[in-house]
C-alpha cells in the first residue's frame, strides 16, 4: 500500500509526499499536529496540514531567521523567540558565543512535547540551561516585557487563524518597546510569488515602526515556491551592511557571509512590490 | 469533476496542479508533449510529464539563463540556444540591443509548433528576423560550427534520456571550439538540494574546459526545490565581477544588477559540494 500525504497549502496546487509512517497525529488545544516520516525529506512536522519543518531542509530556515539578525547585532545576549516550538531557532541562537538567555514563547505546549520526542535533531537545544521555555501567548508576553531583548524572532505559522495577531503594525509597536535600544526584530513573512499582498503589508507595517526595515530572502525547498521572505526591523544597525565576524565561530550548512549580503538582493518584482529602487 | 495533474519529477514527492483544460497532448518523435492550463500557474508545458515552463514564473528562468551571460559579454552579437523550443530564451536574447543573430537549435519541431500555438507570450520572438530556427541535433550543430558564437546557452531538459549528451566534458569541449575567443557558455544544471551529484559533475566537467567556471542560482518556483543552478563557463570574462551596464536597456521582472552579483553567492553546502572557499 502506498501512502501519500497531500499538503493543505494552496488550493489549486499542492505538494504530495510518499509517507513511510505517521509518528503522531493529534488535535492539540490550538491545531491539528502531525509528525510523519517521508521518503523524500525524512521526518516532517505539519500543523493544520501545512509543512512547518523537515529534517532534510530545516537548517535553511533556522540558520537564516537566526544568523542574519544575530550577526547584525554587535553583541546579542538576550533573545526572544515567539512561536518556534520545534526548537530549531533556539538551537541556532545558542551557537552564538555571546548568548546568555534565549526565551521561547510558544502557545502550544504539544508542539514542544512532540518535537522533543520525534525531532530531537531540531529540538535538542530546548534543554540547554540558557533556554527558558514559556508556554503562553506571544502578544501578551511581548506586551509585559519592556526594553529587555536584543533580538526578537517571530517564528510563526502563516498569518491566518492562530498566528494572525503576530503580523501587523500594532504588534510591531509592542515589539519595538520590548527591544533594547539597539534591538532588532525579524519575522518569517511568506513568499512574494504567491502572497505578494502579505509581503507588502508586513513590510509597510514594519517600516512604519522601525528606522531600518529590510526584506531578505532564502531558498527553502519545502515552503511554497521554495523562495521565502523574512522582514527585519532594526532600531539602529543596518543588517545588509552589518559588520560581520571575520570567521563564523561555528559550522553552518546554508549561511555564509556572502549569503548574508546576497540575501538582501531582491528580484525586480519584489523591489517594485515594496517600492524600493 | 476536479482534474489534477501530478508531475512525474521525483518518485517520492511530487507537485500536483488542478487543471482547467488540456490544450494539447501528443507523442512527438522524441517525447510526450503536453500543454495544460492550470488554476495556480496558468498554461504550462510538460515534456515526459515534467514541467518545463509556466506562464506564471517563466520569466525567472529565461531572464537568468540569458542576461547573466549576455551582460557579462561586452558586445554579444551572435548567440546559439540549444534546446529551448518554447522560445523564451530567444525572446530575452533579442532584447539586447547589440544582438544581430540568435540561432535556436531544437531537436523536436513539435515543441516549437505547439508553443507557438498555445504559449505565444513565451514563443513570440521566434518570428523575429534576427532569429534563425534550426531543427536538429544540438551536438551535431555545435560540432559543425567553429569559432562562431559569442554566447552558447544550453536550455535543455533534465540530464536523463534525450538530453543526456548535452551534459558533460566531451560536449563542453565542442562548445569551447564553437565559441569565439572571448565566448561564454551557460547551461541549466538542476538543483543542488535533490541532485547534488549532477551539479558537482557538470561543474567539474565545465571547469576542466573553461578558464573561468562559476555556478549561479535562481529562485524558480515550478522546478523541484524552487532553487535552480546554472553553470557558466567563460574563456575570458568573469561573470561574477562583470562590468554591467549602468542601466538595463529594457524591462525585467527578476533580473537586476544586484541580483546578477547576488546569484553567485552559494549556500555553504553548495560551496562545499564544488570545493570552493
Amino acid at each position: 500500500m502506498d501512502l501519500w500525504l497531500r499538503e493543505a497549502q494552496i488550493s489549486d496546487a499542492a505538494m504530495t509526499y510518499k509517507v513511510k509512517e505517521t509518528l503522531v497525529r493529534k488535535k492539540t488545544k490550538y491545531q491539528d499536529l502531525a509528525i510523519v516520516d517521508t521518503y523524500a525529506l525524512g521526518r516532517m512536522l505539519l500543523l493544520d496540514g501545512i509543512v512547518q519543518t523537515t529534517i532534510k531542509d530545516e537548517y535553511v530556515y533556522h540558520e537564516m531567521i537566526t544568523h542574519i539578525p544575530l550577526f547584525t547585532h554587535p553583541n546579542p545576549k538576550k533573545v526572544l523567540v515567539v512561536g518556534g516550538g520545534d526548537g530549531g531557532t533556539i538551537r541556532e541562537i545558542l551557537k552564538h558565543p555571546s548568548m546568555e538567555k534565549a526565551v521561547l514563547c510558544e502557545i502550544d505546549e504539544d508542539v514542544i512535547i512532540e518535537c522533543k520526542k520525534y525531532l530531537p535533531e531540531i529540538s535538542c537545544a530546548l534543554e540547554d540551561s540558557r533556554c527558558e521555555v514559556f508556554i503562553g501567548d506571544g502578544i501578551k508576553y511581548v506586551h509585559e516585557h519592556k526594553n529587555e531583548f536584543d533580538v526578537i524572532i517571530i517564528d510563526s505559522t502563516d498569518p491566518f487563524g492562530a498566528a494572525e495577531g503576530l503580523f501587523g503594525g500594532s504588534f510591531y509597536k509592542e515589539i519595538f518597546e520590548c527591544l533594547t535600544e539597539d534591538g532588532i526584530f525579524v519575522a518569517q513573512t511568506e513568499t512574494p510569488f504567491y502572497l505578494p499582498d502579505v509581503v507588502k503589508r508586513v513590510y509597510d507595517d514594519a517600516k512604519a515602526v522601525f528606522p531600518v526595515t529590510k526584506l531578505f530572502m532564502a531558498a527553502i525547498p519545502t515552503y511554497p515556491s521554495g523562495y521565502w521572505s523574512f522582514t527585519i526591523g532594526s532600531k539602529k544597525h543596518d543588517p545588509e551592511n552589518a559588520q560581520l565576524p571575520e570567521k563564523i565561530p561555528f559550522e553552518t550548512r546554508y549561511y555564509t557571509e556572502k549569503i548574508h549580503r546576497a540575501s538582501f538582493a531582491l528580484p525586480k518584482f519584489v523591489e517594485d512590490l515594496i517600492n524600493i529602487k
Side-chain angles (χ1 to χ4, degrees), chain A:
Chain A
M1 183 180 78
D2 270 5
L3 270 181
W4 283 76
L5 158 74
R6 169 174 288 187
E7 196 183 11
Q9 187 62 52
I10 311 170
S11 60
D12 297 331
M15 271 304 294
T16 59
Y17 299 102
K18 193 173 166 190
V19 171
K20 276 186 202 172
E21 191 185 356
T22 300
L23 299 165
V24 59
R25 174 92 191 260
K26 61 156 95 162
K27 295 266 176 204
T28 74
K29 203 170 152 193
Y30 298 95
Q31 50 209 340
D32 173 3
L33 180 156
I35 298 177
V36 299
D37 194 4
T38 67
Y39 287 90
L41 304 171
R43 280 159 284 136
M44 57 168 68
L45 167 69
L46 296 107
L47 296 175
D48 291 336
I50 295 170
V51 176
Q52 302 298 313
T53 196
T54 83
I55 292 293
K56 171 88 174 174
D57 75 339
E58 57 88 7
Y59 62 94
V60 182
Y61 176 89
H62 292 129
E63 288 184 11
M64 290 298 277
I65 202 169
T66 302
H67 301 322
I68 298 275
L70 263 63
F71 281 127
T72 297
H73 195 286
N75 189 28
K77 290 180 178 171
K78 204 170 167 190
V79 175
L80 169 66
V81 179
V82 174
D86 57 65
T89 301
I90 292 288
R91 183 195 63 198
E92 294 304 314
I93 290 168
L94 293 177
K95 290 179 180 172
H96 286 256
S98 63
M99 200 52 50
E100 292 174 0
K101 190 176 178 186
V103 176
L104 181 79
C105 180
E106 163 67 57
I107 203 166
D108 190 343
E109 189 172 13
D110 283 313
V111 174
I112 297 173
I113 292 168
E114 301 304 335
C115 290
K116 278 188 177 174
K117 197 164 168 187
Y118 295 110
L119 300 171
E121 303 91 331
I122 302 174
S123 60
C124 51
L126 291 173
E127 305 288 351
D128 190 291
S129 62
R130 293 167 297 164
C131 174
E132 181 184 314
V133 174
F134 180 85
I135 306 299
D137 178 18
I139 298 172
K140 192 160 174 283
Y141 188 95
V142 166
H143 181 70
E144 290 169 356
H145 293 76
K146 304 289 180 198
N147 191 31
E148 189 168 332
F149 293 97
D150 301 312
V151 174
I152 297 176
I153 299 175
I154 310 300
D155 182 1
S156 75
T157 52
D158 296 325
F160 318 109
E164 201 167 350
L166 300 178
F167 293 77
S170 58
F171 184 50
Y172 299 159
K173 278 180 204 143
E174 301 270 10
I175 286 175
F176 189 94
E177 300 296 324
C178 186
L179 287 166
T180 51
E181 62 173 7
D182 64 346
I184 300 168
F185 133 87
V186 66
Q188 76 79 6
T189 49
E190 308 292 314
T191 174
F193 276 112
Y194 295 132
L195 294 173
D197 296 349
V198 170
V199 172
K200 183 176 171 47
R201 180 167 51 78
V202 168
Y203 176 83
D204 287 346
D205 284 352
K207 201 172 159 67
V209 174
F210 288 91
V212 183
T213 304
K214 301 224 168 162
L215 214 65
F216 66 92
M217 308 294 308
I220 305 177
T222 51
Y223 288 176
S225 90
Y227 193 52
W228 214 247
S229 81
F230 299 83
T231 300
I232 190 160
S234 176
K235 290 191 180 182
K236 190 169 151 194
H237 310 291
D238 176 2
E240 186 172 0
N241 302 300
Q243 180 153 11
L244 303 177
E246 266 188 48
K247 193 176 155 20
I248 302 168
F250 45 79
E251 293 288 311
T252 60
R253 294 167 70 189
Y254 186 92
Y255 180 90
T256 67
E257 178 178 340
K258 208 168 160 183
I259 281 284
H260 183 122
R261 310 281 183 210
S263 69
F264 291 90
L266 305 176
K268 186 64 166 62
F269 80 98
V270 182
E271 281 188 348
D272 290 346
L273 181 69
I274 61 172
N275 293 315
I276 59 167
K277 291 279 183 320

